[in-house]
Amino acid sequence: MISNIIIQIGSFLLVLLACVIPLGRYMAKVYGETPPMQRFFGPIERLIYRLLGIDAKTEMNWKHYAVALLGFNGVGLLLLYGLQRVQAWLPLNPQQLPAISADSAFNTAASFVSNTNWQGYAGETTMSYLTQMLGLTVQNFVSAATGMAVLIGLIRGITRRSSSTIGNFWVDLTRSTLYILLPLSLVLSLVLVSQGVVQSLNTSQTIELLQPIVNVDGQTISQQTIALGPAASQIAIKQLGTNGGGFFNVNSAHPLENPTPLSNLLELLSIVLIPAALCYTFGIMVGDKRQGWAILATMTIILLGFTALAVGAEQAGNPLYQKLGIDDQASALQAGGNMEGKETRFGIVNSALWATVTTAASNGSVNSMHDSYTPLGGLAPMVLMQLGEVVFGGVGSGLYGMLIFAIITVFVAGLMVGRTPEYLGKKIEAFEMKMAALIILIPCVTTLLITAIAVSSDAGKATVFNSGAHGFSEVLYAATSAANNNGSAFAGLGANTPFYNTWLGIAMLVSRFWLIIPTLAIAGGLANKKLIPQSAGTLPTHTPLFVGLLIGVVLIVGALTFIPALALGPIVEHLLMSL
Amino acid sequence: MRTFLRPALAAIIIFSVLTGIIYPVLVTAIAQVAFPSQANGSLIEQAGVQRGSALIGQQFDQAGYFWGRLSATGPVPYNAAASSGSNYGPLNPSLAEAVQARIAALKAADPNNPLPIPVDLVTASASGLDPEISPAAALYQVQRVATARGLTQSQVQQLVEQHTSQPTLGILGEPRVNVLQLNMALDQIKAID
């Protein structure tokens, strides 16, 4: 059994690491002076700039960069909201689905624009093909590209000296989409189709059941209707762009969304592919690859720790089964463990690994139902989100979040020895620290505040599905997921209500854009500074010591904030389960 | 203000066309040509009738068929138009009830089975559409299916082994048995009396 765990997780990590260097190098070129494959991409890129009416050579200061970003995302938010409200009267709606309610449309628009992909609705029974393609898929691309643009702006801020600008938002947005996200998605979606993921504009298919069944009303049912749709193209980008919003209700647990172990490995890999490779890109751009490796090592170590916890808890299973004489021991013939809410082809290891990878990254797609996890198995993904989505995190946003933690770490270390902190040759001063504190605090406050509002109001409690401590976990998980732009859920919670749609929608927007603005402010502040030469008192930020310090700061900030809340949910549930 | 609004509006239109129309239509066109079966749901046709999808489970509760995972979809199990898990927490009394009901059904259909019931046979899948069960869950049902169909246990066991998929490349995923395809193969050998 242990060997199976090591093989499954090891093969995933090995393939990931093999992709980090080539993709990281490619992305560094994309954001540099001369992007690769100019013959093919060059004309398209220049055409886009002409249509936008911008001069690609004109750079922006951080405030202009932020305004451009907010304007673009604001327009996208309104458009996606409008599209859902009028989908009933638009083409490509073979199931003739009605328009979506105002609160649900707001929630979904906020969710996809903020790269969260929290889904209060059920995909195959709510969204027309046109909405899925022209609304959701588009935001999957551009919200990911927005995150990457902010990261590149921050890295430029770190590397430039005495500069007032951090790049051009339109250029960074265009290049992220055109050179990186589109080609990767095209290849991935076709490989997924080869595995059995559907990609069709036809309506659903009806088949004759082998064995007709009798429903509760005594009627015989002899047919099965299978929902189809243009799924693969959306699934590819929802994995690659750390979006996570599934085409079908059960996301990547659906056999037509993730049919085989190979499709599972590829989708899993795609979750962390760009966030991991961006670490290497960062190393190249700051002229010291060791800096990128140190960050990647930090992320991988934290992820592996929580993966071990989740796999261990799920494999140990639910005492209920042993009490009833069920065989839940892993063997060559079965995965064993807590199989409630898990698919046979993924078993325990690939389900629990996915649960931790998707929450370490701010992806939020699922291939098993987190609500049915054991208490500690469900605690692992919850805590990974509560760490602020910096362990891989979202594309771009994860790394800029982690760089903020690096800044806080050099500050803490500087306090200990009484020196002015510096990171990569830039002095860290009061302004940067104020912004960094905001970035750390906003998601924490949002999470706890919304949990408190929900569990103390009737509207919040009305749609909790499981009772007791697990019910509290459902609410805490939802608030955590929204306030950290993850999007996964303890899906028993009935979240498609005006109460949750509104509050979680606000949380997603606040946590996305009120972190982006201070991050860009730090970028602008750092770009303005002079480079200070390294001295004997400089804390090196590429060493195992720094990796250890950074892990410590990330874990301690998360733990101090959330242990009381976790004690009321998963921890007390764990104690109850062992009674 | 105009210097920001103009490119913002133009950008959302351009990227909508590029990623919302050109990209999915291109993928659909290539997929329909290169992988027509997979792109349309991997349907299984038999004598001109669509009997199901190789990737989507169906509900079986007759003794002569292998049974799949529990399905939490509504209003009927294995409703492939509305996927859903049970979302029962580990201590939810409804979970214990569902497990006990399944144990009772399995025991009633096959009272003399000495094997312990494998866990995947009493738990609901994540999608409610899981097409597969573990080899242990299939082997547990061999005696019942053989008796109901008047076949020998070794005949049925051989069929199970033929329909067992090993982990991809020997390492990825879990060993498993496709329930619909196994049951169709059973019908080929000998129809239920």
Side-chain angles (χ1 to χ4, degrees):
Chain A
M1 189 57 226
I2 294 291
S3 68
N4 183 38
I5 295 175
I6 293 171
I7 288 169
Q8 305 274 351
I9 297 176
S11 53
F12 158 71
L13 275 182
L14 221 65
V15 183
L16 177 65
L17 286 178
C19 298
V20 159
I21 297 180
L23 182 61
R25 197 175 286 156
Y26 173 79
M27 288 194 289
K29 277 200 199 123
V30 167
Y31 296 113
E33 291 294 320
T34 48
M37 298 202 270
Q38 267 308 294
R39 251 208 219 139
F40 180 71
F41 289 122
I44 309 175
E45 189 185 351
R46 284 190 292 275
L47 174 68
I48 292 177
Y49 297 151
R50 201 169 325 135
L51 293 171
L52 293 183
I54 59 140
D55 172 20
K57 298 262 180 290
T58 310
E59 293 232 328
M60 302 170 171
N61 65 26
W62 79 263
K63 284 176 189 158
H64 287 165
Y65 200 97
V67 171
L69 183 151
L70 292 174
F72 175 68
N73 280 275
V75 170
L77 183 76
L78 290 176
L79 208 69
L80 180 53
Y81 175 82
L83 186 62
Q84 295 175 74
R85 299 287 283 149
V86 298
Q87 72 168 14
W89 300 280
L90 295 177
L92 276 181
N93 185 4
Q95 295 158 279
Q96 303 185 334
L97 296 164
I100 291 157
S101 71
D103 57 296
S104 175
F106 162 69
N107 183 277
T108 304
S111 171
F112 278 73
V113 168
S114 65
N115 197 246
T116 309
N117 290 29
W118 169 268
Q119 292 172 293
Y121 62 90
E124 63 266 51
T125 52
T126 315
M127 296 291 176
S128 76
Y129 294 172
L130 187 78
T131 311
Q132 297 255 23
M133 285 163 47
L134 200 57
L136 305 183
T137 304
V138 171
Q139 282 304 327
N140 279 349
F141 276 97
V142 296
S143 68
T146 298
M148 294 161 88
V150 174
L151 170 69
I152 298 305
L154 177 62
I155 297 177
R156 290 203 192 99
I158 292 172
T159 52
R160 291 183 176 180
R161 340 172 164 182
S162 314
S163 161
S164 60
T165 60
I166 58 167
N168 183 310
F169 173 71
W170 305 113
V171 172
D172 293 337
L173 179 78
T174 303
R175 288 193 180 166
S176 303
T177 310
L178 187 65
Y179 287 82
I180 301 167
L181 296 170
L182 262 174
L184 282 175
S185 302
L186 191 63
V187 174
L188 179 64
S189 55
L190 290 173
V191 180
L192 289 179
V193 174
S194 80
Q195 292 298 300
V197 177
V198 291
Q199 179 73 25
S200 150
L201 297 180
N202 290 332
T203 178
S204 48
Q205 290 276 358
T206 302
I207 61 93
E208 301 294 322
L209 287 174
L210 202 59
Q211 181 217 296
I213 52 173
V214 179
N215 73 3
V216 282
D217 302 324
Q219 294 160 315
T220 302
I221 292 176
S222 61
Q223 291 187 323
Q224 183 184 42
T225 303
I226 300 174
L228 300 177
S233 54
Q234 192 184 320
I235 293 162
I237 183 60
K238 72 131 170 158
Q239 297 303 104
L240 285 163
T242 58
N243 300 286
F247 190 88
F248 298 107
N249 184 36
V250 293
N251 212 292
S252 282
H254 198 294
L256 295 179
E257 186 151 341
N258 186 7
T260 65
L262 182 62
S263 70
N264 190 66
L265 175 71
L266 291 173
E267 290 184 17
L268 189 62
L269 211 56
S270 305
I271 294 176
V272 279
L273 179 65
I274 295 177
L278 278 172
C279 294
Y280 193 78
T281 307
F282 164 70
I284 294 177
M285 289 180 79
V286 299
D288 181 359
K289 287 175 195 151
R290 297 170 307 179
Q291 304 291 343
W293 287 120
I295 300 281
L296 186 58
T298 306
M299 294 177 171
T300 310
I301 291 168
I302 299 178
L303 171 67
L304 283 180
F306 283 98
T307 303
L309 172 66
V311 173
E314 291 310 295
Q315 192 69 63
N318 185 339
L320 168 75
Y321 302 130
Q322 285 126 37
K323 265 181 227 155
L324 294 171
I326 299 295
D327 177 13
D328 69 348
Q329 293 304 306
S331 72
L333 295 177
Q334 68 162 355
N338 176 26
M339 282 300 285
E340 181 71 20
K342 295 191 180 63
E343 298 281 297
T344 311
R345 59 195 179 284
F346 308 138
I348 298 296
V349 181
N350 276 300
S351 298
L353 175 63
W354 184 301
T356 48
V357 168
T358 194
T359 47
S362 82
N363 187 282
S365 63
V366 298
N367 76 349
S368 58
M369 293 298 120
H370 295 186
D371 212 348
S372 296
Y373 271 45
T374 60
L376 293 185
L379 174 124
M382 211 178 322
V383 173
L384 277 167
M385 290 187 285
Q386 287 162 345
L387 297 181
E389 289 301 5
V390 295
V391 183
F392 295 102
V395 284
S397 64
L399 183 52
Y400 66 67
M402 190 54 113
L403 293 178
I404 301 301
F405 267 103
I407 287 173
I408 290 182
T409 304
V410 295
F411 174 76
V412 171
L415 284 182
M416 288 195 266
V417 294
R419 287 186 61 98
T420 313
E422 55 191 87
Y423 186 56
L424 299 172
K426 292 290 174 74
K427 243 186 217 163
I428 305 299
E429 290 165 301
F431 177 73
E432 285 79 33
M433 283 316 298
K434 274 184 207 159
M435 292 297 130
L438 273 182
I439 292 167
I440 305 289
L441 286 177
I442 285 173
C444 298
V445 171
T446 315
T447 303
L448 293 175
L449 209 62
I450 291 199
T451 308
I453 293 170
V455 296
S456 53
S457 70
D458 290 335
K461 285 184 287 188
T463 52
V464 172
F465 178 67
N466 286 283
S467 57
H470 197 85
F472 178 78
S473 297
E474 281 180 359
V475 176
L476 179 62
Y477 196 104
T480 301
S481 179
N484 292 282
N485 293 144
N486 181 276
S488 67
F490 272 13
L493 179 74
N496 196 2
T497 64
F499 176 85
Y500 281 110
N501 278 335
T502 310
W503 280 107
L504 297 178
I506 293 169
M508 292 186 274
L509 290 177
V510 166
S511 294
R512 175 71 168 177
F513 297 104
W514 282 100
L515 301 202
I516 283 182
I517 296 167
T519 302
L520 289 174
I522 293 180
L526 291 179
N528 245 322
K529 291 180 196 238
K530 287 203 270 300
L531 204 65
I532 46 168
Q534 284 204 357
S535 70
T538 306
L539 173 71
T541 51
H542 61 267
T543 57
L545 174 71
F546 183 75
V547 170
L549 274 174
L550 185 54
I551 293 173
V553 169
V554 170
L555 291 181
I556 289 168
V557 169
L560 287 180
T561 317
F562 290 105
I563 278 180
L566 291 168
L568 295 175
I571 294 173
V572 75
E573 190 189 15
H574 177 69
L575 298 175
L576 286 172
M577 193 174 82
S578 3
L579 282 180
Chain B
M1 197 60 216
R2 192 181 295 166
T3 53
F4 290 106
L5 212 54
R6 153 84 208 273
L9 282 170
I12 196 73
I13 293 169
I14 292 166
F15 286 119
S16 293
V17 172
L18 196 60
T19 65
I21 298 174
I22 295 176
Y23 160 70
V25 168
L26 184 66
V27 174
T28 309
I30 300 175
Q32 288 291 337
V33 173
F35 311 106
S37 166
Q38 293 97 316
N40 294 300
S42 307
L43 299 183
I44 306 174
E45 199 180 278
Q46 203 178 44
V49 183
Q50 311 273 26
R51 291 326 298 251
S53 162
L55 298 173
I56 300 285
Q58 295 181 10
Q59 169 77 355
F60 293 100
D61 51 17
Q62 291 177 6
Y65 282 120
F66 282 88
W67 300 356
R69 306 284 307 276
L70 289 180
S71 165
T73 62
V76 289
Y78 289 94
N79 177 1
S83 56
S84 174
S86 77
N87 286 315
Y88 290 145
L91 299 181
N92 193 322
S94 302
L95 173 68
E97 277 167 34
V99 172
Q100 280 162 327
R102 178 65 159 209
I103 294 173
L106 285 165
K107 296 269 189 212
D110 191 13
N112 302 320
N113 195 331
L115 298 170
I117 303 172
V119 67
D120 60 316
L121 216 45
V122 300
T123 46
S125 63
S127 61
L129 305 173
D130 195 340
E132 294 154 338
I133 52 176
S134 69
L139 293 174
Y140 174 82
Q141 301 182 67
V142 164
Q143 175 182 314
R144 185 194 75 223
V145 173
T147 313
R149 287 197 182 242
L151 294 167
T152 66
Q153 288 199 31
S154 65
Q155 273 178 306
V156 178
Q157 185 153 353
Q158 206 178 2
L159 216 52
V160 169
E161 278 157 20
Q162 280 167 12
H163 284 84
T164 303
S165 313
Q166 293 305 324
T168 311
L169 307 172
I171 49 172
L172 288 178
E174 304 290 332
R176 59 211 188 275
V177 181
N178 187 300
V179 178
L180 175 64
Q181 286 174 332
L182 176 60
N183 284 335
M184 289 178 71
L186 273 173
D187 278 352
Q188 292 283 320
I189 292 184
K190 191 176 180 195
I192 298 181
D193 300 326

